[in-house]
Amino acid sequence: MEQASDCYIQIVEALPTPILLLRHNGVILHANAPAACLLETLEGITPQPEITLAPHWIMDELECYHAQGSLSHQAEKSLISTTNSHSFVLISIKRLNPDNSDLLLVTINDLSKLHLIEDGLRQLVEGISEATGEKFFQFLVLHLAKALDADFAFIGEFADSERTTIQTVAVAADGAIHANFRFQLAETPCEQVLTNGLRIYPKGIPELFPLDHLALEMGVESYIGIPLVSSRRITLGPMAVFSRRPIRETHLAASMLQVFAVRAASELERRQAERVLKETEARLKTIVDSVHTGILVIDPENHRIVDVNELAASSLGRTREEMIGTSCHRFICPNEEGRCPITDLQQELDNEERDLIRADGSRLPVIKTVSRVVLDGREHLLESFVDISRRKQVENSLKESEERYRMLVENQADLVIKTDMTGNLLFVSPSFCKLFGQPEEKLLGKPLLPVIMSPDQITAATGIEQMICSDTSYYREYLSPTREGKRWIGWALRCIFNQAGRPEAIIGMGRDITDRKTAESTIEQLAYHDPVTGLPNRTLLYDRLQLAINRAERDSQGVAILFLDLDRFKAINDSLGHAVGDQLLRQVGNRLLDCVRSSDTVARLGGDEFVVLISALDNDHAVGSVVMKILEQLCEPYRIDDHEVYTSSSIGISLFPRDGRDAEELLKNADMAMYQAKEAGRNTCHFFSPELNMRATERLLLESTMRRALEREEFFLVYQPQMELRSGHIAGIEALLRWRHPDLGVVPPNNFIPIAEETGLIVPLGEWVLAEACRQAVRWQQEGQPPLRMAVNVSARQFRQRNLGLRIEKILMETGLDPALLELELTESAVMENPEEAILTLRQLKKMGITLSIDDFGTGYSSLSHLKHFPIDRLKIDRSFVKHVTRDHNDATIAEAIIALAHSMKLTVVAEGIEHSEQMEFMHQRHCDTMQGYYLSRPVTAEEFGTFLKRLGESDGKAHGLLGG
């Protein structure tokens, strides 16, 4: 017995089912581990062999077993555990050995999960038997998950035509309905299901489908799925259950999915069919409601409205709900009952005009068609109508418009005509007959063109009918022979087309625009021509120049621009008056026109500037002959009133394409070349070169920076001594302006003084030079140097200032310099611009005790008759005569004459630009009073000049010892 028990214990310990070995009286002889665990869970006891008595629910069944006297006994029990949870178990009792009735074998099987599944199945079957649609799917997934103890369940369908995406229909998650979602099939268990049928994955989903990111996020471990197939064998989508833990009852789950897949597929197929039907109905309704036709469906037996589209309802001022179910008689149809044209009078309506009644009682004119159709197995009337109220309004308006049009045409001043396609008149307005002096009956049937055009215009307008009908609109202006003479008529013509799209007539309206044409001509003349000369102005010149450039590029030719500026025009204009100046400009323009071809252009830009445009040049040499001809013609005297006027021109030339590719550049470069011609001596020409452009660029830089240079203290003075040739003493000092540019270094005065003159900056700059020179002269005196006369240049623009004397007087007072020690140097041109005014200014300065000198004498246009009246003290011989005085006989003669002239007028003479001993000796022998130049000293700074004065003091005040240094 003991051996049998030991053997039994070894066997039952290896089994997962709870097993007890009892004695006949219910004492527990042995309990395997699952049984011990179960008793502790249900009863809270730990069984002790030969001591512990079986629990009461086993003892109850043990009594039944003994009472039956059978070999075995089974019974189900519902138990409550110590945690108050319900469990269902199956208790089986039988003798361990048939020959020994003392030992009993008791097995306890847990039926809780099975009861749960059965309960779920029962609820599932009961729930889905009546449910449809969305409720069906939600009920199915919720109870599938519950019955199979799964975390998730879902049903899905294909969401795209490519069948690569699934849209869930119902989702259960953790015992509740979850929101639907969409996911890609690729690399998912569902892809395997839809490809290969039922698939069971008890565990290992993360390893089997590592790219299924949704499953990974949800923590899915196990999956069972089945495809849902329609009655036509088309796969609609998947149905699946899955969980975060392995599924144990996989075969049960698979069986359940197979059982419910047919019903789910059927419901899904029905759902899709309903959706397609609804979409089709919606499309049809949209189409019916969108057509511009009212549609009604009427029951012919009772004349009640069965259906109506939105357009019909809105056209009649009602809603669909109001109309459906009502009788059409006296509701929307004006006919009485028994008088229906279709059912009673047996008429056929096909695009017939009828009236319908609106909700407000008004009549709606329509085009109506009625046809018979079969709907739901019965015949119905399908009435369709088109609202023609707008057309009726248009027709009425057209009739009124025709009347008004006829009245307007017959009474207006504009000309109205109509012709056939051959151009013969079909209609003419009274105004047309009046203007052309012919009665209507004579004009009708005649060709239009000979009436409104001269013969030469008719030739040019051949095929006018085709031109009119090929355009949407046609407007032309013709100079017509009328009874009032030649008049400009503007014609607006267009074709009238028939229903076949072929032109059948031409209508037109004409208006007398003679006054407008005259005004346009005047405006154009003012806009594009110079009012003084009548020549093209800048705007027209630019236009013609651009056309010439385009033509030259196309034909590989050249273009020349001659930029002309009249010499001495301002003097003529100021002295003889603007009227004479204008006549001179007109004569110059006429002479220029005589010098060029008719295809060339002569333009006036303004002032005394003209531009000649020579186009279609085969070579550049042709320009030279034109330029020479212009120079010769413009030098000839001009007879204006009682005056004989002389002038000449300076011409700058630029060539396309060498000197520029566009109009702006060509004119700019020709302008630069013209200024170069002026600098070269006037009455000459100069071709543009790149060097000119470089100088212009530098000039522009200087002009832009000069305005701030004075504020930035970039200007400074240098000083050059003047020596008496007879005694060797220093006679005076000349202050010379220099500019230390931050980028260009020290800029020579010849480069920036002319710019300062043109821009007006010379005035404040000249005042600064005068004040600084006076301050420096006083400074040297304070340092113990002997008083020396300080010479300062005065520009022409400064000299023209009416308050020049007051300005100089103020500077002398502020600096404390004795006026007798100040010398002002003036150029010949400055004093000769207005000799009478110059004399007054010079006398004012002379009264102040200031020394006056004429600088660069011999290079200007001084008149000796005026010179003798100028209160000047000194003449300075220009360096251009001094430079070659020892080698050039003419220069020597001029220098001797200037010295003799000055001495005869009691004036002292200063020779500028002495650079070597031979020049100094020449001047000394001719009794020149004073010398100035590099042979004595180059211009130096104030500090260096102070050193020069100290060296001079050491040589007894004579500069002979410093010569050549």
Side-chain angles (χ1 to χ4, degrees), residues 137-301:
F137 293 117
Q138 291 180 351
F139 195 91
L140 180 58
V141 296
L142 192 62
H143 287 81
L144 270 178
K146 181 178 179 182
L148 298 175
D149 194 24
D151 296 317
F152 309 102
F154 82 91
I155 296 172
E157 62 181 342
F158 288 110
D160 58 343
S161 57
E162 291 80 12
R163 301 170 74 85
T164 60
T165 307
I166 293 296
Q167 171 68 49
T168 62
V169 175
V171 180
D174 297 321
I177 294 298
H178 190 272
N180 285 313
F181 56 88
R182 182 176 293 199
F183 63 92
Q184 296 294 319
L185 268 177
E187 305 296 335
T188 66
C190 290
E191 182 183 31
Q192 295 298 317
V193 167
L194 296 174
T195 303
N196 303 310
L198 176 67
R199 281 291 176 270
I200 301 173
Y201 300 101
K203 59 180 180 178
I205 290 295
E207 291 77 19
L208 294 172
F209 300 95
L211 299 180
D212 188 346
H213 301 294
L214 183 60
L216 294 175
E217 290 176 8
M218 297 171 68
V220 176
E221 174 65 24
S222 55
Y223 173 98
I224 300 176
I226 189 170
L228 302 180
V229 181
S230 72
S231 59
R232 292 180 295 166
R233 310 304 299 168
I234 298 173
T235 301
L236 305 176
M239 179 169 68
V241 293
F242 44 100
S243 190
R244 301 186 187 94
R245 58 192 184 282
I247 297 177
R248 293 181 181 178
E249 305 294 338
T250 56
H251 294 291
L252 176 61
S255 298
M256 289 183 65
L257 289 180
Q258 288 173 324
V259 169
F260 293 107
V262 176
R263 174 66 196 280
S266 175
E267 190 65 25
L268 189 59
E269 185 176 13
R270 187 187 64 80
R271 180 175 181 270
Q272 292 180 354
E274 286 180 353
R275 184 168 59 215
V276 171
L277 182 59
K278 288 180 181 178
E279 291 173 355
T280 302
E281 289 177 349
R283 282 197 297 271
L284 288 174
K285 185 176 184 304
T286 301
I287 292 170
V288 170
D289 287 338
S290 299
V291 295
H292 297 287
T293 303
I295 298 174
L296 298 99
V297 179
I298 297 175
D299 188 337
E301 293 182 1

Side-chain angles (χ1 to χ4, degrees), residues 568-582 584 800 833-834:
R568 299 184 64 251
F569 175 76
K570 185 177 185 303
I572 296 170
N573 208 34
D574 291 345
S575 59
L576 299 179
H578 292 288
V580 173
D582 289 348
L584 174 60
R800 287 196 296 269
E833 279 187 8
N834 191 337

Side-chain angles (χ1 to χ4, degrees), residues 662-678:
D662 57 50
E664 192 72 38
E665 189 175 10
L666 286 171
L667 285 169
K668 181 192 72 173
N669 293 341
D671 190 16
M672 281 193 285
M674 182 271 292
Y675 277 104
Q676 188 67 19
K678 274 190 173 298

